[in-house]
Amino acid sequence: MTNDLFMRLATVHKPDCVAIAEGPAPEPVADPATLAVTLGSDALARYAGDCQPIYENLRRVIGQISGLMILARLTGHIEVADLPELAACQARWNDADERTAALAAPQAAQPHREQLVAACLFSGLALKTFSALGQRADNDAAFDRMVGLTKRAYAHLSAASTEKAGLNMVDFTHACCSCRH
């Protein structure tokens, strides 16, 4: 069991690896704050401001999901679903989901909004996967699904990241990726 877990951890793809994603790949998009200055649009400036709490919530949700997933996987305790931290994560995701649904994006910012919507969708699906963890010893499929969904959420949120607008993720450019893509 320990060797199997080590091998699974050693072959994890870094979050931006294209080999882990299903569907169209996340694509970097224009920074809404830069677009607002370039195009002189108040609507884009409002959009950039409205993105900040959504981005921050999703960034934290993805980090919390990852931490809870590691905790559950390494300890073998599936009771993570009962922890107050998971409830707090769900509440933060609910807020991000509501704000994302209400987010009005000018035409120039639609690609950026689509990346936020996708990050919200995939992180929500990853959260729901915690309920699939059962008392049986074989939770590998549920963990694999959670890992894939979390990586996909991270990739979409990274695509919507920009330092200038204060939307920065942790830099994983030097993370190891065994698939060499």
Side-chain angles (χ1 to χ4, degrees):
M1 174 65 178
T2 308
N3 191 35
D4 181 48
L5 178 59
F6 175 78
M7 292 309 294
R8 289 172 60 86
L9 291 173
T11 59
V12 171
H13 303 276
K14 65 182 183 177
D16 60 349
C17 177
V18 296
I20 56 104
E22 295 176 12
E27 295 182 25
V29 292
D31 165 11
T34 301
L35 278 175
V37 170
T38 302
L39 300 176
S41 168
D42 289 340
L44 276 170
R46 275 190 303 280
Y47 171 78
D50 291 345
C51 285
Q52 185 66 40
I54 296 168
Y55 183 89
E56 184 61 26
N57 277 341
L58 291 174
R59 186 180 68 81
R60 292 183 69 188
V61 162
I62 291 168
Q64 287 174 313
I65 291 170
S66 299
L68 291 166
M69 189 172 34
I70 290 168
L71 176 68
R73 184 70 178 156
L74 291 178
T75 64
H77 292 285
I78 57 160
E79 296 84 12
V80 169
D82 299 327
L83 291 176
E85 289 81 4
L86 185 62
C89 185
Q90 181 68 54
R92 187 178 310 277
W93 181 86
N94 289 343
D95 182 63
D97 187 48
E98 289 172 14
R99 288 175 184 261
T100 302
L103 184 63
Q107 186 61 36
Q110 281 300 321
H112 187 271
R113 183 184 183 283
E114 289 169 11
Q115 294 300 321
L116 289 177
V117 167
C120 191
L121 169 74
F122 286 106
S123 60
L125 291 171
L127 265 173
K128 288 179 185 173
T129 307
F130 276 104
S131 65
L133 296 177
Q135 293 297 333
R136 62 191 192 285
D138 184 21
N139 283 309
D140 288 344
F143 281 115
D144 289 345
R145 177 163 169 71
M146 225 181 301
V147 167
L149 292 168
T150 304
K151 286 180 179 182
R152 186 64 183 266
Y154 182 92
H156 282 287
L157 196 59
S158 292
S161 297
T162 175
E163 226 174 284
K164 288 181 182 177
L167 309 176
N168 0 356
M169 302 275 296
V170 175
D171 181 15
F172 280 105
T173 56
H174 299 292
C176 63
C177 180
S178 62
C179 71
R180 293 165 183 53
H181 286 275

